[in-house]
Amino acid sequence: MTKKNSVGTLCVQAGYNPGNGEPRQIPIVQSTTFKYSSSDQMGRLFDLEDSGYFYTRLQNPTNDAVAAKIAALEGGVAAMLTSSGQSANFFACFNICEAGDHMISTASIYGGTFNLFGVTFKKMGIDVTFVDQNASEEEIAAAFRPNTKLVFGETLSNPGVRVLDIEKLARVAHSHGVPLIIDNTFPTPVNCRPFEWGADIVTHSTTKYMDGHGVGVGGVIVDSGNFDWEANAEKFPGLCTPDESYHGLTYTKKFGRMAYITKATSQLMRDLGAIQSPQNAFYLNLGLQSLAVRVKRHNESALKVAKFLEANPLVKWVRFPDLESDPDHALAQKYLPGGSCGVMSFAIEGGREFANRFMDSLKLVTIETHVADCYTCILHPASHTHRQLSDEQLREAGVDPDLMRLSIGLEDADDLIADITAALEAAASQN
Ligand SMILES: *Cc1c(COP(=O)(O)O)cnc(C)c1O
């Protein structure tokens, strides 16, 4: 397989190339350990002198094949699967930052990541400054400190679906000698490949579209191999100076463009152990094989539903970057020309009570605290995740009390529109 193949082909075939008489589908290597007949060979594996499998916490053939597929999809040099999207973002940053360091993140990011950075990283001695992603390059540059080690953002923010100006962030990060890490969960590499816009490292919660069927929690980190750690070696001692836990080996010197993922695997995964099970990696691969087909359908159905909502008199507003009316539409046309994702937010007239009657009247669209898979689902923060807050407190927290988050699945778009229409009518008739 080469990177010249289109994304749909890579989804099916990249990462695994069976020989004569070998299984066509990636086998599940359900084994914790691997057998060797020479003590010396096993020793070389431990010294990272030879490559080979010896313990699944470090590497497993099923996981490696699936990681290689995702690396090919993103156009990176290597990838590592993790047990969840949370652990992917944790490892991606912690592979570069340690106690006493600082990093910059955009503020419009997934709530779990916001907590990880703002609360848990703080406890670990890593300071995070959150910046408005629409701020100018000069304003973002003002957040840098001598100990800043990376910049982080989401291509499309969860749940707000705001579009990130990746090139702008890459310019600011690189002019300060640090990499840009992008969480590309919502667009997937089918809709956007951040490395083409200057990002250095990409992460995913594979729990969302990559799996796509609500089957397994998982994550992945992909490295472009493009960031020159040695050019700012004093900032990245973990990569550019000898690792005592590997007999003084230096990752950048020994592994070149593979340094970042090799360190994440052989050091962080060895010590922290948040691996994805081979069984889950197998399920993830089944999702990946149809990713290009599914994402196209999510894109098309979401746009159809968004246009329907926009035209409905009971709907106050719709936020979906593929709509011309959306404030991020120009950015979406640049970074996500084929479509953004299946997630949108909208608000209906009539407050919480009306919203609840509307949601209770839905039949196909289900109420779920999840997004981005084959099932269409809806969530009303004022009635669910933020229900303890008054309308005034919600507005102070930047959440419109009428906001609903809608994730369009793989059902027929016309059936979804009929379901939403009927539920709006049912709610309105009780007024
Ligand atoms: C869901 C999500 C995560 C966290 O992933 P888990 O697999 O739930 O741990 C991180 N980033 C984004 C953008 C997400 O949507």
Side-chain angles (χ1 to χ4, degrees):
M1 297 298 300
T2 66
K3 281 182 204 152
K4 287 192 205 85
N5 282 307
S6 66
V7 78
T9 302
L10 295 173
C11 279
V12 180
Q13 294 210 10
Y16 176 64
N17 189 16
N20 262 333
E22 288 179 359
R24 185 65 196 90
Q25 181 55 285
I26 298 178
I28 307 173
V29 181
Q30 194 71 50
S31 183
T32 55
T33 49
F34 301 82
K35 188 204 112 162
Y36 287 90
S37 44
S38 139
S39 157
D40 190 47
Q41 197 181 2
M42 178 67 102
R44 284 201 302 273
L45 292 176
F46 270 96
D47 284 350
L48 303 182
E49 285 300 330
D50 273 0
S51 61
Y53 297 103
F54 55 102
Y55 191 54
T56 285
R57 170 149 45 77
L58 284 112
Q59 276 189 300
N60 170 284
T62 310
N63 290 27
D64 282 4
V66 179
K69 173 175 284 185
I70 299 174
L73 284 169
E74 285 288 8
V77 293
M80 178 180 83
L81 299 188
T82 59
S83 57
S84 65
Q86 284 299 109
S87 55
N89 282 331
F90 169 53
F91 280 36
C93 298
F94 198 64
N95 205 29
I96 309 174
C97 281
E98 53 190 45
D101 286 342
H102 171 254
M103 55 174 268
I104 294 168
S105 171
T106 57
S108 302
I109 53 172
Y110 175 65
T113 314
F114 193 81
N115 253 318
L116 169 68
F117 292 168
V119 180
T120 301
F121 269 19
K122 207 184 190 99
K123 288 183 193 161
M124 299 171 77
I126 299 168
D127 217 7
V128 184
T129 302
F130 293 101
V131 296
D132 177 354
Q133 64 188 47
N134 293 329
S136 68
E137 285 184 50
E138 294 69 34
E139 285 169 299
I140 296 170
F144 278 83
R145 303 178 192 165
N147 60 344
T148 303
K149 298 297 166 75
L150 66 92
V151 177
F152 181 96
E154 288 176 2
T155 315
L156 281 170
S157 63
N158 175 3
V161 258
R162 294 177 61 190
V163 186
L164 189 70
D165 188 345
I166 302 173
E167 279 191 318
K168 175 179 78 178
L169 255 76
R171 267 196 309 273
V172 193
H174 295 160
S175 68
H176 291 82
V178 303
L180 173 63
I181 302 181
I182 293 290
D183 182 332
N184 198 36
T185 298
F186 269 21
T188 83
V190 176
N191 283 340
C192 179
R193 279 182 296 282
F195 295 154
E196 292 170 3
W197 304 102
D200 302 288
I201 292 150
V202 157
T203 62
H204 287 271
S205 165
T206 61
T207 318
K208 313 291 164 51
Y209 291 117
M210 282 193 171
D211 169 311
H213 300 79
V215 171
V217 174
V220 67
I221 306 173
V222 190
D223 183 18
S224 66
N226 294 336
F227 191 77
D228 187 355
W229 308 101
E230 288 282 346
N232 293 280
E234 76 291 348
K235 281 193 198 294
F236 308 107
L239 284 149
C240 304
T241 58
D243 179 354
E244 283 153 35
S245 69
Y246 278 113
H247 311 300
L249 158 165
T250 301
Y251 292 100
T252 44
K253 297 220 160 58
K254 186 150 178 76
F255 300 104
R257 295 181 80 204
M258 303 292 283
Y260 174 87
I261 289 291
T262 306
K263 177 177 179 286
T265 307
S266 56
Q267 192 187 71
L268 296 188
M269 211 43 116
R270 178 196 63 186
D271 295 353
L272 299 165
I275 59 158
Q276 185 163 138
S277 75
Q279 182 85 38
N280 272 9
F282 175 83
Y283 292 134
L284 170 56
N285 183 58
L286 292 184
L288 289 168
Q289 288 184 312
S290 62
L291 185 70
V293 182
R294 289 185 292 105
V295 165
K296 186 166 181 278
R297 167 109 166 171
H298 283 292
N299 290 341
E300 288 168 1
S301 295
L303 184 58
K304 202 166 179 183
V305 172
K307 282 184 171 161
F308 156 78
L309 288 172
E310 194 173 40
N312 190 295
L314 289 170
V315 174
K316 276 206 297 198
W317 54 261
V318 188
R319 190 84 200 255
F320 183 60
D322 299 5
L323 288 177
E324 275 170 34
S325 59
D326 192 276
D328 285 350
H329 187 62
L331 284 171
Q333 282 186 310
K334 174 174 175 177
Y335 292 106
L336 306 143
S340 59
C341 67
V343 183
M344 67 193 71
S345 55
F346 71 104
I348 51 180
E349 307 284 356
R352 282 186 212 215
E353 210 185 310
F354 187 89
N356 279 309
R357 284 207 306 270
F358 164 67
M359 286 185 294
D360 290 350
S361 309
L362 289 164
K363 296 204 164 59
L364 283 179
V365 181
T366 56
I367 302 168
E368 269 178 55
T369 317
H370 188 53
V371 285
D373 67 19
C374 60
Y375 304 101
T376 297
C377 60
I378 194 162
L379 192 81
H380 181 219
S383 306
H384 304 135
T385 48
H386 295 62
R387 62 179 291 125
Q388 72 284 3
L389 302 187
S390 68
D391 284 4
E392 196 163 308
Q393 286 171 320
L394 277 172
R395 281 192 200 94
E396 277 168 18
V399 180
D400 183 328
D402 298 324
L403 179 148
M404 298 205 235
R405 187 176 72 188
L406 179 66
S407 176
I408 298 299
L410 294 177
E411 303 90 340
D412 190 278
D414 290 328
D415 289 344
L416 295 171
I417 289 171
D419 190 39
I420 295 168
T421 306
L424 283 170
E425 280 166 7
S429 71
Q430 291 170 45
N431 262 344

Short mmCIF file of all heavy atoms in Angstrom, two decimals, residues 82-89 109-113 152-159 183-187 203-208 216-220 370-372 405, ligand 1:
data_model
loop_
_atom_site.label_atom_id
_atom_site.label_comp_id
_atom_site.label_asym_id
_atom_site.label_seq_id
_atom_site.Cartn_x
_atom_site.Cartn_y
_atom_site.Cartn_z
N THR A 82 -4.53 3.30 21.89
CA THR A 82 -4.65 3.45 23.35
C THR A 82 -6.03 2.94 23.78
O THR A 82 -6.89 2.69 22.94
CB THR A 82 -4.50 4.92 23.78
OG1 THR A 82 -5.52 5.68 23.12
CG2 THR A 82 -3.14 5.49 23.39
N SER A 83 -6.22 2.83 25.09
CA SER A 83 -7.47 2.24 25.60
C SER A 83 -8.67 3.16 25.42
O SER A 83 -9.80 2.71 25.46
CB SER A 83 -7.30 1.91 27.08
OG SER A 83 -6.93 3.08 27.78
N SER A 84 -8.44 4.48 25.24
CA SER A 84 -9.55 5.42 25.07
C SER A 84 -9.03 6.70 24.43
O SER A 84 -7.81 6.90 24.34
CB SER A 84 -10.17 5.76 26.44
OG SER A 84 -9.22 6.47 27.22
N GLY A 85 -9.95 7.56 24.04
CA GLY A 85 -9.55 8.87 23.52
C GLY A 85 -8.87 9.69 24.61
O GLY A 85 -7.93 10.44 24.35
N GLN A 86 -9.37 9.55 25.84
CA GLN A 86 -8.77 10.27 26.96
C GLN A 86 -7.29 9.90 27.11
O GLN A 86 -6.43 10.76 27.28
CB GLN A 86 -9.51 9.95 28.27
CG GLN A 86 -10.84 10.65 28.42
CD GLN A 86 -10.72 12.16 28.42
OE1 GLN A 86 -11.12 12.82 27.47
NE2 GLN A 86 -10.14 12.71 29.46
N SER A 87 -7.00 8.58 27.06
CA SER A 87 -5.60 8.19 27.24
C SER A 87 -4.77 8.60 26.03
O SER A 87 -3.58 8.90 26.17
CB SER A 87 -5.46 6.69 27.54
OG SER A 87 -6.09 5.91 26.58
N ALA A 88 -5.37 8.68 24.84
CA ALA A 88 -4.62 9.15 23.67
C ALA A 88 -4.17 10.60 23.88
O ALA A 88 -2.99 10.94 23.68
CB ALA A 88 -5.48 9.04 22.40
N ASN A 89 -5.10 11.46 24.33
CA ASN A 89 -4.72 12.86 24.53
C ASN A 89 -3.74 13.02 25.70
O ASN A 89 -2.83 13.84 25.65
CB ASN A 89 -5.96 13.73 24.74
CG ASN A 89 -6.66 14.01 23.42
OD1 ASN A 89 -6.01 14.05 22.37
ND2 ASN A 89 -7.97 14.18 23.46
N ILE A 109 -12.87 22.78 23.57
CA ILE A 109 -12.51 21.38 23.38
C ILE A 109 -13.47 20.50 24.18
O ILE A 109 -14.21 20.99 25.03
CB ILE A 109 -11.05 21.08 23.81
CG1 ILE A 109 -10.79 21.57 25.23
CG2 ILE A 109 -10.06 21.68 22.82
CD1 ILE A 109 -9.44 21.16 25.79
N TYR A 110 -13.42 19.23 23.90
CA TYR A 110 -14.24 18.22 24.59
C TYR A 110 -14.09 18.37 26.11
O TYR A 110 -12.98 18.59 26.62
CB TYR A 110 -13.76 16.85 24.12
CG TYR A 110 -14.39 15.68 24.82
CD1 TYR A 110 -15.74 15.40 24.68
CD2 TYR A 110 -13.63 14.81 25.60
CE1 TYR A 110 -16.32 14.31 25.31
CE2 TYR A 110 -14.20 13.71 26.22
CZ TYR A 110 -15.55 13.48 26.08
OH TYR A 110 -16.11 12.39 26.70
N GLY A 111 -15.22 18.26 26.83
CA GLY A 111 -15.22 18.48 28.28
C GLY A 111 -14.24 17.59 29.02
O GLY A 111 -13.59 18.03 29.97
N GLY A 112 -14.11 16.33 28.60
CA GLY A 112 -13.19 15.41 29.25
C GLY A 112 -11.74 15.86 29.09
O GLY A 112 -10.93 15.75 30.02
N THR A 113 -11.41 16.38 27.92
CA THR A 113 -10.05 16.87 27.68
C THR A 113 -9.80 18.15 28.47
O THR A 113 -8.71 18.37 29.00
CB THR A 113 -9.85 17.13 26.16
OG1 THR A 113 -10.37 16.02 25.44
CG2 THR A 113 -8.39 17.32 25.83
N PHE A 152 -2.30 22.64 21.52
CA PHE A 152 -3.32 21.60 21.31
C PHE A 152 -4.63 22.24 20.85
O PHE A 152 -5.01 23.32 21.32
CB PHE A 152 -3.56 20.85 22.62
CG PHE A 152 -4.57 19.74 22.53
CD1 PHE A 152 -4.16 18.42 22.33
CD2 PHE A 152 -5.93 20.00 22.64
CE1 PHE A 152 -5.10 17.39 22.24
CE2 PHE A 152 -6.87 18.97 22.55
CZ PHE A 152 -6.45 17.66 22.36
N GLY A 153 -5.34 21.57 19.94
CA GLY A 153 -6.68 22.03 19.52
C GLY A 153 -7.47 20.90 18.88
O GLY A 153 -6.91 19.82 18.61
N GLU A 154 -8.77 21.12 18.66
CA GLU A 154 -9.62 20.13 17.98
C GLU A 154 -10.02 20.67 16.62
O GLU A 154 -10.50 21.81 16.53
CB GLU A 154 -10.90 19.84 18.80
CG GLU A 154 -10.64 19.05 20.06
CD GLU A 154 -11.89 18.84 20.94
OE1 GLU A 154 -12.99 19.28 20.55
OE2 GLU A 154 -11.74 18.24 22.02
N THR A 155 -9.87 19.87 15.56
CA THR A 155 -10.26 20.31 14.21
C THR A 155 -11.69 20.83 14.24
O THR A 155 -11.99 21.93 13.76
CB THR A 155 -10.18 19.15 13.19
OG1 THR A 155 -8.97 18.44 13.39
CG2 THR A 155 -10.29 19.66 11.78
N LEU A 156 -12.59 20.00 14.80
CA LEU A 156 -13.97 20.41 15.03
C LEU A 156 -14.22 20.20 16.51
O LEU A 156 -14.04 19.09 17.02
CB LEU A 156 -14.94 19.51 14.25
CG LEU A 156 -15.12 19.77 12.77
CD1 LEU A 156 -15.92 18.63 12.14
CD2 LEU A 156 -15.83 21.09 12.52
N SER A 157 -14.65 21.23 17.21
CA SER A 157 -14.78 21.09 18.66
C SER A 157 -16.03 20.28 19.00
O SER A 157 -17.07 20.39 18.34
CB SER A 157 -14.82 22.47 19.31
OG SER A 157 -15.94 23.19 18.88
N ASN A 158 -15.90 19.46 20.04
CA ASN A 158 -17.04 18.71 20.58
C ASN A 158 -17.48 19.40 21.86
O ASN A 158 -16.66 19.53 22.77
CB ASN A 158 -16.62 17.26 20.89
CG ASN A 158 -17.72 16.44 21.57
OD1 ASN A 158 -18.82 16.93 21.76
ND2 ASN A 158 -17.39 15.21 21.92
N PRO A 159 -18.71 19.86 22.02
CA PRO A 159 -19.85 19.67 21.13
C PRO A 159 -20.15 20.87 20.21
O PRO A 159 -21.09 20.79 19.42
CB PRO A 159 -21.01 19.51 22.12
CG PRO A 159 -20.63 20.45 23.23
CD PRO A 159 -19.13 20.45 23.30
N ASP A 183 -6.64 17.05 17.86
CA ASP A 183 -7.63 15.99 18.07
C ASP A 183 -8.56 16.05 16.86
O ASP A 183 -9.32 16.99 16.69
CB ASP A 183 -8.38 16.23 19.39
CG ASP A 183 -9.41 15.14 19.70
OD1 ASP A 183 -9.93 14.53 18.75
OD2 ASP A 183 -9.70 14.93 20.90
N ASN A 184 -8.48 15.01 16.01
CA ASN A 184 -9.21 15.00 14.74
C ASN A 184 -10.40 14.04 14.78
O ASN A 184 -10.81 13.50 13.76
CB ASN A 184 -8.22 14.60 13.62
CG ASN A 184 -8.71 14.94 12.23
OD1 ASN A 184 -9.35 15.98 12.03
ND2 ASN A 184 -8.41 14.09 11.26
N THR A 185 -10.95 13.82 15.99
CA THR A 185 -12.02 12.84 16.19
C THR A 185 -13.24 13.08 15.30
O THR A 185 -13.72 12.16 14.64
CB THR A 185 -12.47 12.85 17.67
OG1 THR A 185 -11.37 12.47 18.49
CG2 THR A 185 -13.62 11.90 17.91
N PHE A 186 -13.78 14.29 15.29
CA PHE A 186 -15.04 14.52 14.59
C PHE A 186 -14.91 14.44 13.07
O PHE A 186 -15.74 13.80 12.44
CB PHE A 186 -15.66 15.86 15.03
CG PHE A 186 -16.60 15.73 16.21
CD1 PHE A 186 -16.53 14.65 17.08
CD2 PHE A 186 -17.57 16.70 16.46
CE1 PHE A 186 -17.40 14.53 18.16
CE2 PHE A 186 -18.44 16.60 17.53
CZ PHE A 186 -18.37 15.51 18.38
N PRO A 187 -13.90 15.06 12.45
CA PRO A 187 -13.85 14.97 10.98
C PRO A 187 -13.39 13.60 10.48
O PRO A 187 -13.79 13.18 9.41
CB PRO A 187 -12.84 16.03 10.58
CG PRO A 187 -12.56 16.83 11.80
CD PRO A 187 -12.88 15.98 12.97
N THR A 203 -4.53 13.04 17.24
CA THR A 203 -5.14 12.05 18.14
C THR A 203 -6.59 11.83 17.73
O THR A 203 -7.18 12.66 17.03
CB THR A 203 -5.13 12.52 19.61
OG1 THR A 203 -5.92 13.72 19.70
CG2 THR A 203 -3.73 12.79 20.12
N HIS A 204 -7.15 10.70 18.16
CA HIS A 204 -8.56 10.41 17.94
C HIS A 204 -9.13 9.68 19.14
O HIS A 204 -8.44 8.84 19.72
CB HIS A 204 -8.76 9.44 16.76
CG HIS A 204 -8.52 10.04 15.43
ND1 HIS A 204 -9.51 10.65 14.72
CD2 HIS A 204 -7.40 10.13 14.68
CE1 HIS A 204 -9.02 11.09 13.57
NE2 HIS A 204 -7.73 10.79 13.52
N SER A 205 -10.39 9.97 19.43
CA SER A 205 -11.19 9.03 20.20
C SER A 205 -11.77 8.11 19.12
O SER A 205 -12.68 8.52 18.38
CB SER A 205 -12.30 9.75 20.96
OG SER A 205 -13.25 8.80 21.39
N THR A 206 -11.25 6.89 19.03
CA THR A 206 -11.76 5.97 17.99
C THR A 206 -13.15 5.45 18.36
O THR A 206 -13.83 4.83 17.54
CB THR A 206 -10.81 4.77 17.79
OG1 THR A 206 -10.71 4.04 19.03
CG2 THR A 206 -9.43 5.23 17.36
N THR A 207 -13.56 5.75 19.63
CA THR A 207 -14.89 5.42 20.11
C THR A 207 -15.98 6.01 19.21
O THR A 207 -17.09 5.49 19.15
CB THR A 207 -15.07 6.04 21.52
OG1 THR A 207 -13.88 5.83 22.28
CG2 THR A 207 -16.24 5.45 22.25
N LYS A 208 -15.66 7.10 18.54
CA LYS A 208 -16.68 7.82 17.76
C LYS A 208 -16.76 7.25 16.34
O LYS A 208 -16.98 6.06 16.20
CB LYS A 208 -16.35 9.32 17.77
CG LYS A 208 -16.03 9.88 19.17
CD LYS A 208 -17.23 9.93 20.10
CE LYS A 208 -16.85 10.10 21.56
NZ LYS A 208 -15.95 11.19 21.86
N GLY A 216 -16.80 -0.24 20.92
CA GLY A 216 -15.64 -0.26 21.82
C GLY A 216 -15.05 1.12 22.07
O GLY A 216 -14.92 1.92 21.15
N VAL A 217 -14.68 1.39 23.31
CA VAL A 217 -13.98 2.63 23.65
C VAL A 217 -12.51 2.46 23.25
O VAL A 217 -11.90 1.42 23.54
CB VAL A 217 -14.10 2.92 25.16
CG1 VAL A 217 -13.26 4.12 25.56
CG2 VAL A 217 -15.56 3.15 25.55
N GLY A 218 -11.95 3.48 22.59
CA GLY A 218 -10.54 3.38 22.18
C GLY A 218 -10.00 4.71 21.71
O GLY A 218 -10.74 5.69 21.54
N GLY A 219 -8.68 4.75 21.52
CA GLY A 219 -8.04 5.97 21.04
C GLY A 219 -6.81 5.65 20.23
O GLY A 219 -6.38 4.48 20.16
N VAL A 220 -6.26 6.68 19.59
CA VAL A 220 -5.04 6.49 18.80
C VAL A 220 -4.25 7.80 18.75
O VAL A 220 -4.84 8.89 18.80
CB VAL A 220 -5.38 6.00 17.36
CG1 VAL A 220 -6.11 7.06 16.55
CG2 VAL A 220 -4.14 5.53 16.61
N HIS A 370 -24.06 10.64 24.01
CA HIS A 370 -23.00 10.17 23.12
C HIS A 370 -23.19 10.86 21.78
O HIS A 370 -24.23 11.45 21.53
CB HIS A 370 -23.07 8.65 22.96
CG HIS A 370 -21.89 8.08 22.23
ND1 HIS A 370 -20.59 8.34 22.60
CD2 HIS A 370 -21.80 7.30 21.13
CE1 HIS A 370 -19.78 7.71 21.77
NE2 HIS A 370 -20.48 7.09 20.86
N VAL A 371 -22.18 10.81 20.96
CA VAL A 371 -22.29 11.37 19.61
C VAL A 371 -21.46 10.53 18.66
O VAL A 371 -20.65 9.70 19.07
CB VAL A 371 -21.72 12.81 19.53
CG1 VAL A 371 -22.64 13.81 20.15
CG2 VAL A 371 -20.33 12.89 20.11
N ALA A 372 -21.66 10.78 17.37
CA ALA A 372 -20.74 10.33 16.33
C ALA A 372 -20.68 8.83 16.15
O ALA A 372 -19.59 8.25 16.10
CB ALA A 372 -19.35 10.92 16.58
N ARG A 405 -28.00 19.27 21.19
CA ARG A 405 -26.95 18.71 20.35
C ARG A 405 -27.52 17.49 19.63
O ARG A 405 -28.08 16.60 20.28
CB ARG A 405 -25.77 18.29 21.22
CG ARG A 405 -24.56 17.86 20.44
CD ARG A 405 -23.43 17.57 21.37
NE ARG A 405 -23.67 16.33 22.12
CZ ARG A 405 -22.91 15.91 23.13
NH1 ARG A 405 -21.90 16.64 23.54
NH2 ARG A 405 -23.16 14.79 23.74
C1 LIG B 1 -15.14 11.51 23.08
C2 LIG B 1 -13.98 12.39 22.82
C3 LIG B 1 -12.78 12.25 23.53
C4 LIG B 1 -12.61 11.23 24.65
O1 LIG B 1 -12.63 9.95 24.10
P1 LIG B 1 -13.04 8.62 24.92
O2 LIG B 1 -12.83 7.56 23.88
O3 LIG B 1 -14.44 8.78 25.36
O4 LIG B 1 -12.09 8.50 26.05
C5 LIG B 1 -11.74 13.08 23.22
N1 LIG B 1 -11.86 14.03 22.26
C6 LIG B 1 -13.00 14.19 21.56
C7 LIG B 1 -13.08 15.26 20.52
C8 LIG B 1 -14.10 13.38 21.81
O5 LIG B 1 -15.24 13.56 21.12
#
